[in-house]
Amino acid sequence: MEFFSHSRPWTIVVSFCIIAFLHMFRRRRPALPFPPGPKGLPILGNALDMPNKNPWLTYLQWGKMYGKCFSDLIRGVDYILEMIDSDIVHANFLGKHVIVLNSAKAVHELFEKRSSIYSDRIRMSWNIAFVPYGPRWRTWRKVFHEHFHPNATQQYRPRELKAARKLLENLLRTPEHYDHHLRFMTGQVIMGIAYGIDITPHDDPYVSLAENALHAIESASISGWTFDMLPFYMYLPWWFPGAGFKKEAAKLAPRVDDMINKPYQTVKDALAAGVAVPSVAASMITSLREQPSHEEELTSKAVPATMYIGKSTAAALLTFFLAMVLHSDAQRRAQMEIDNVVGTGRLPDFDDEMSLPYVSALVKEVMRWHPVAPVAVPHRLVVDDVYEGYFLPAGSIVIGNAWAVLHDESVFPEPSRFRPERFLDPNVKLPEAGFGFGRRICPGRFMARSSMWIAIASVLAAFEISPVVDSNGVPQIPKGEYTAGIVSYPEAFACRIRPRSKQAEELIVSSLNDRT
């Protein structure tokens, strides 16, 4: 949709003329209805309705607006008794079908029980999250699982603990740059595990590579959506009206190539010199045959590169800081638990996790309150299907609305409130929705959770997070708005970060000497 908002009017007219021509050859409307949704315009469909801001809220609202109506038949009165929210909605984007799943029930039925036909992706990049469903994806997924299943991730905890301690040091020195410190911590963990590379806090070349590649993939997601909706654009020259973004994509492609190849080559050179440290890339390179095939070498490059491009821990930790600014009561309760269990003479470590149920509940609530990928990565339906009497055509883009699943009022009363105590009830489980769905669920979720937990527990033990105040002493409360990319970050906000006590400050300093 962003492509059309930036195009000149005359290019849009030309594009729509082509679409209108192709529209004449669409197949006949099926006997069963499509799911409910906004009524579109001729040819354009719902192109003007598709949201650019907070799409997760728009999709959820569609479910309420276009739900099923039921009459009071018992008393024979012909009027609407209630409106039942629809857990699946439909939109038509220039002749292409978009299906949104707004409930755990719909997600389970389609993405889990029918995963063989709902696990495809739109064609975008080498990243494992976007690779089409097939042999390559299965191979990459298997290799990724070998390094990141729950037992395997235990070996990464010392590095995660070290990064959490470094985070405390950085927050102590320059708390105003907390957002940079959170991103650095994430990069420190992932680049170390993926490549055995120790990054620098400022202007690190490998971090720059990764950030440039992430920007390129964000841009590619727009192009990928456009190509999928309007496949004929794939074959048009860049100078054709409306196809100029192909030229921009060609400029961005080398950034992604650099991210795949340069850190990988660094590890190869270190192995050849006998100075490589253990890492996922080193392990994969060592296991390659002397003359690997192109596909084998691509696998060994793509898996570690995907780790950094797929990072989401920084976004979740920014949400944690925002939540603590807005909900000081939850912060105080978590700190009280840490003081009672861990004491004030040391910092928490992973051995304390089972003894800190409220802290763990708070981590879960951070992931529920605003998931890092509210609408996840779209799936593609590969064959015609039927769900609850609705027709779902092959080729549809199917979006799992993680936000809707995690804000289901029947499961999470008062879903907009930040209430960690809801997860102290053993019957309340956190759905995996924040990490994707079905066979395409994020394979790095176990490491992401443990990295989040130790970072949050450490920050709570050492610091107090509060709103900044103006010259009159009035707290400046953040608006709490979020970006709408593949990974959703809080919009920039200021906060006050201070050590909880002199003893806490001394613990941070002393922990520097304890690192291995």
Side-chain angles (χ1 to χ4, degrees), residues 398-416:
V398 188
I399 298 172
N401 190 347
W403 174 275
V405 173
L406 295 169
H407 286 73
D408 185 341
E409 295 182 5
S410 67
V411 180
F412 305 108
E414 300 180 285
S416 62

Side-chain angles (χ1 to χ4, degrees), residues 110-139:
L110 302 185
F111 287 160
E112 299 285 348
K113 294 176 67 175
R114 310 184 198 181
S115 59
S116 63
I117 61 173
Y118 282 90
S119 295
D120 200 18
R121 295 289 204 208
I122 60 175
R123 278 63 175 167
M124 283 171 52
S125 79
W126 49 266
N127 187 298
I128 192 172
F130 304 107
V131 172
Y133 186 70
R136 172 179 287 180
W137 175 84
R138 282 190 285 269
T139 297

Side-chain angles (χ1 to χ4, degrees), residues 84-324:
I84 304 299
D85 295 354
S86 177
D87 65 348
I88 181 170
V89 293
H90 168 267
N92 181 309
F93 184 83
L94 305 174
K96 189 74 173 183
H97 300 280
V98 180
I99 309 295
V100 182
L101 311 183
N102 275 332
S103 73
K105 173 178 174 289
V107 164
H108 178 73
E109 179 64 33
L110 302 185
F111 287 160
E112 299 285 348
K113 294 176 67 175
R114 310 184 198 181
S115 59
S116 63
I117 61 173
Y118 282 90
S119 295
D120 200 18
R121 295 289 204 208
I122 60 175
R123 278 63 175 167
M124 283 171 52
S125 79
W126 49 266
N127 187 298
I128 192 172
F130 304 107
V131 172
Y133 186 70
R136 172 179 287 180
W137 175 84
R138 282 190 285 269
T139 297
W140 291 9
R141 177 74 174 206
K142 179 182 178 182
V143 174
F144 212 104
H145 179 74
E146 290 173 358
H147 292 279
F148 296 101
H149 62 77
N151 291 334
T153 57
Q154 297 288 320
Q155 65 184 306
Y156 307 133
R157 287 190 164 188
R159 188 177 287 274
E160 292 170 334
L161 181 60
K162 181 180 178 180
R165 299 293 187 258
K166 180 64 177 179
L167 171 64
L168 300 185
E169 176 195 354
N170 289 336
L171 291 173
L172 182 63
R173 291 178 176 175
T174 53
E176 66 275 15
H177 299 309
Y178 72 94
D179 55 341
H180 171 80
H181 300 325
L182 293 176
R183 294 173 191 269
F184 172 72
M185 189 210 80
T186 301
Q188 184 182 18
V189 171
I190 297 179
M191 290 299 285
I193 294 171
Y195 297 104
I197 294 173
D198 289 325
I199 63 174
T200 57
H202 302 286
D203 301 321
D204 185 89
Y206 295 106
V207 172
S208 296
L209 282 175
E211 294 295 343
N212 287 336
L214 185 59
H215 170 69
I217 289 179
E218 289 275 2
S219 299
S221 69
I222 299 169
S223 301
W225 181 280
T226 304
F227 286 148
D228 195 80
M229 294 299 184
L230 312 172
F232 59 88
Y233 266 92
M234 286 283 289
Y235 308 101
L236 298 179
W238 65 266
W239 46 262
F240 189 85
F245 62 91
K246 295 180 70 175
K247 186 176 182 180
E248 180 65 18
K251 293 179 182 178
L252 295 175
R255 298 182 182 181
V256 179
D257 292 339
D258 286 345
M259 177 57 206
I260 299 173
N261 294 316
K262 288 188 175 181
Y264 183 83
Q265 188 61 48
T266 298
V267 178
K268 285 189 73 173
D269 293 343
L271 284 168
V275 295
V277 299
S279 68
V280 172
S283 174
M284 298 192 70
I285 293 171
T286 303
S287 66
L288 285 174
R289 297 181 298 173
E290 185 174 345
Q291 296 293 328
S293 67
H294 170 76
E295 190 67 25
E296 290 170 336
E297 187 166 35
L298 179 60
T299 298
S300 66
K301 290 180 178 180
V303 169
T306 294
M307 291 177 57
Y308 193 78
I309 295 299
K311 66 179 183 138
S312 58
T313 308
L317 290 175
L318 284 167
T319 290
F320 159 69
F321 272 71
L322 176 63
M324 295 302 93

Side-chain angles (χ1 to χ4, degrees), residues 126 325 338:
W126 49 266
V325 171
I338 291 172

